[in-house]
């Protein structure tokens, strides 16, 4: 585990000489595999790694692929929709990003996507159910299928994305499925790495954007629910670091730097956007679930499910973080709030410097 924090230094050493190869360019992998880094630093390098990222077209996937490709790693990008992966092609040099069509129910396509890789990331998931995929079929059966095929094809390392709140006893079906998925992956693959981030924020997130657009849904539970949001770039950096670690078995919990209430997030959004506090009422839980259930069936795009409402009443787990094992320090949400929410400002206030609300006594540092 201690080797995880020294990866950045090894990456710098491995690319310091152009046209020569040193002993530290050779990375031994579990089993009989090894990779040899070469070439200049940056996108034109050749790290020697071949990586498959299932769920690459999602929120976290694009940032992980960017970090992998800039070190010269060849990335296999499984996709379902032709247009969903177009932006990923530009993240690497010629031949580094290799898109491959797949279906999570097709074992032959899964095997084709991962058989040449030395590490597989499973980021597949969705926080709402559809007519084609339930939580169990995607987060449990699908994850186990990918892990089993990775073992059968001899992939040395497998990284599975879970959630900080994953629990078999949770009142949320999503969190239950995440916990069941972890156990299914452990049964299908010997020694996987389980990564448990909290809710993530970034440009395309469902956190800061929704706080700015739909404050009424964040006033549920009297806006007193505790949350430990983590920056998506910090999580992506941890995942990218794992490619250079020969073996890391176990679970990495990645909560944000601090614990907040929903009310603080609402105050932060109001202060950043420079708007009057929302006058939206506090909606009872049962009423919110009924409204969302009706709208979710009436609209042709996913609105908000009953389980998402349920999760608004669940505090983030207070488990200690494992950041010290990764060499990455999580950043505070105030450092990025203006960057991600400036778009919601009026023209008159667009260039004004940011200000932040005072942190209440209930907002504290997370345990690392």
């Amino acid at each position: 585990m201690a080797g995880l924090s020294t990866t950045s230094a090894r990456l710098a050493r491995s690319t310091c000489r152009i046209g020569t190869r040193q002993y530290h360019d050779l990375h031994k992998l579990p089993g009989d595999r090894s990779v040899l880094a070469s070439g200049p630093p940056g996108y034109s390098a050749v790290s020697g790694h071949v990586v498959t990222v299932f769920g690459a077209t999602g929120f976290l996937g694009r940032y992980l692929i960017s970090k992998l490709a800039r070190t010269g790693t060849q990335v296999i990008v499984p996709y379902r929709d032709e247009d969903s992966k177009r932006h990923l092609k530009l993240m690497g040099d010629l031949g580094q990003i290799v898109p491959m069509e797949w279906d999570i129910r097709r074992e032959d396509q899964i095997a084709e996507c991962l058989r040449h890789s030395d590490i597989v990331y499973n980021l597949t998931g969705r926080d709402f159910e559809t007519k084609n995929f339930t939580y169990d079929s995607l987060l449990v059966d699908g994850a186990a299928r990918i892990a089993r095929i990775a073992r059968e094809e001899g992939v040395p390392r497998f990284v599975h994305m879970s959630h900080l709140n994953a629990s078999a006893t949770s009142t949320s079906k999503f969190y239950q499925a995440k916990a069941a998925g972890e156990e299914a992956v452990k049964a299908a693959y010997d020694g996987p790495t389980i990564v448990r981030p909290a809710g993530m924020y970034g440009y395309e997130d469902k956190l800061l954007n929704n706080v700015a657009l739909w404050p009424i849904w964040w006033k549920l539970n009297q806006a007193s629910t505790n949350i430990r949001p983590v920056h998506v770039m910090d999580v992506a950096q941890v995942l990218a670091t794992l490619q250079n670690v020969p073996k890391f078995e176990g679970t990495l919990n990645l909560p944000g730097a601090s614990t907040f209430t929903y009310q603080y997030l609402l105050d932060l959004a109001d202060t950043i956007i420079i708007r009057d506090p929302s006058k939206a009422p506090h909606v009872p839980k049962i009423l919110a679930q009924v409204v969302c259930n009706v709208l979710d069936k009436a609209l042709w795009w996913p609105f908000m499910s009953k389980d998402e409402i349920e999760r608004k009443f669940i505090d983030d787990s207070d488990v200690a973080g494992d950041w010290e094992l990764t060499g990455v320090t999580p950043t505070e949400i105030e450092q990025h709030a203006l960057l991600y929410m400036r778009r919601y400002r009026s023209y008159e206030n667009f260039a004004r410097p940011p200000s932040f609300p005072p942190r209440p006594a209930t907002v504290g540092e997370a345990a690392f």
Side-chain angles (χ1 to χ4, degrees):
M1 293 185 180
L4 203 58
S5 60
T6 62
T7 299
S8 297
R10 297 212 317 265
L11 284 174
R13 292 197 304 270
S14 66
T15 56
C16 62
R17 293 180 174 88
I18 299 177
T20 62
R21 294 177 179 176
Q22 307 298 320
Y23 179 75
H24 54 251
D25 292 329
L26 178 65
H27 299 275
K28 187 70 173 64
L29 301 177
D32 58 353
R33 294 195 183 188
S34 61
V35 297
L36 184 63
S38 63
Y43 287 100
S44 297
V46 177
S47 71
H49 292 284
V50 179
V51 172
T52 300
V53 182
F54 291 101
T57 57
F59 175 44
L60 174 61
R62 67 182 65 200
Y63 298 101
L64 173 59
I65 289 174
S66 177
K67 288 184 177 295
L68 292 172
R70 72 175 55 189
T71 62
T73 295
Q74 187 177 52
V75 185
I76 310 299
V77 177
Y79 69 92
R80 294 177 61 206
D81 179 44
E82 182 69 29
D83 292 335
S84 65
K85 47 78 176 175
R86 295 176 64 185
H87 61 287
L88 302 175
K89 189 71 173 180
L90 305 177
M91 294 183 178
D93 206 346
L94 185 63
Q96 280 186 297
I97 309 300
V98 183
M100 298 184 68
E101 189 172 6
W102 82 303
D103 189 311
I104 198 170
R105 295 161 293 197
R106 291 279 303 273
E107 295 191 4
D108 57 331
Q109 291 184 339
I110 295 174
E112 186 180 4
C113 288
L114 59 74
R115 63 165 49 102
H116 299 293
S117 298
D118 54 79
I119 182 170
V120 170
Y121 295 91
N122 177 31
L123 311 185
T124 57
R126 183 165 286 177
D127 56 4
F128 58 89
E129 293 182 302
T130 67
K131 64 180 181 180
N132 293 321
F133 294 102
T134 63
Y135 289 137
D136 288 341
S137 65
L138 181 61
L139 303 178
V140 183
D141 299 337
R145 187 177 300 114
I146 296 173
R148 174 178 57 81
I149 295 174
R151 173 179 56 81
E152 293 173 351
E153 295 292 336
V155 177
R157 291 166 297 168
F158 187 85
V159 180
H160 175 68
M161 181 62 55
S162 185
H163 195 282
L164 188 70
N165 295 338
S167 172
T169 59
S170 175
T171 57
S172 166
K173 293 182 179 179
F174 175 77
Y175 293 149
Q176 292 176 17
K178 280 291 188 180
E182 291 182 12
E183 298 304 317
V185 166
K186 292 177 183 177
Y189 187 93
D190 183 23
T193 302
I194 307 295
V195 181
R196 286 179 162 186
M200 293 176 283
Y201 61 88
Y203 275 115
E204 308 85 7
D205 68 9
K206 292 185 177 180
L207 181 63
L208 295 181
N209 286 293
N210 283 1
V211 169
L213 291 172
W214 302 99
I216 187 173
W217 299 122
W218 301 91
K219 290 194 173 185
L220 295 169
N221 197 24
Q222 304 296 316
S224 62
T225 302
N226 290 322
I227 186 172
R228 305 170 72 184
V230 62
H231 193 205
V232 66
M233 295 293 284
D234 294 335
V235 178
Q237 183 59 59
V238 171
L239 294 178
T241 301
L242 288 171
Q243 75 166 329
N244 291 288
V245 179
K247 192 70 172 177
F248 185 91
E249 301 180 14
T251 302
L252 287 173
N253 294 304
L254 304 179
S258 297
T259 303
F260 305 99
T261 61
Y262 283 166
Q263 185 59 57
Y264 180 76
L265 287 181
L266 288 168
D267 294 341
L268 178 64
D270 293 338
T271 306
I272 290 292
I273 299 173
I274 312 177
R275 68 182 182 189
D276 295 332
S278 171
K279 296 181 180 179
H282 295 280
V283 181
K285 179 180 179 180
I286 185 64
L287 178 59
Q289 289 183 327
V290 170
V291 171
C292 287
N293 192 41
V294 171
L295 291 177
D296 194 46
K297 293 180 178 179
L299 300 174
W300 60 87
W301 68 86
F303 180 71
M304 185 174 288
S305 67
K306 291 175 61 177
D307 196 75
E308 289 180 89
I309 295 296
E310 180 68 33
R311 296 199 292 272
K312 291 288 192 293
F313 288 78
I314 300 176
D315 290 335
D316 277 354
S317 172
D318 59 359
V319 64
D322 297 312
W323 292 99
E324 72 279 358
L325 302 177
T326 69
V328 178
T329 301
T331 53
E332 296 284 358
I333 195 170
E334 291 89 348
Q335 295 178 242
H336 308 284
L338 178 64
L339 177 65
Y340 299 136
M341 290 198 289
R342 187 195 292 270
R343 71 185 82 175
Y344 301 108
R345 283 185 169 188
S346 65
Y347 172 77
E348 293 81 5
N349 297 322
F350 193 81
R352 289 181 60 178
S355 59
F356 305 103
R359 286 194 173 189
T362 55
V363 177
E365 298 294 325
F368 296 136

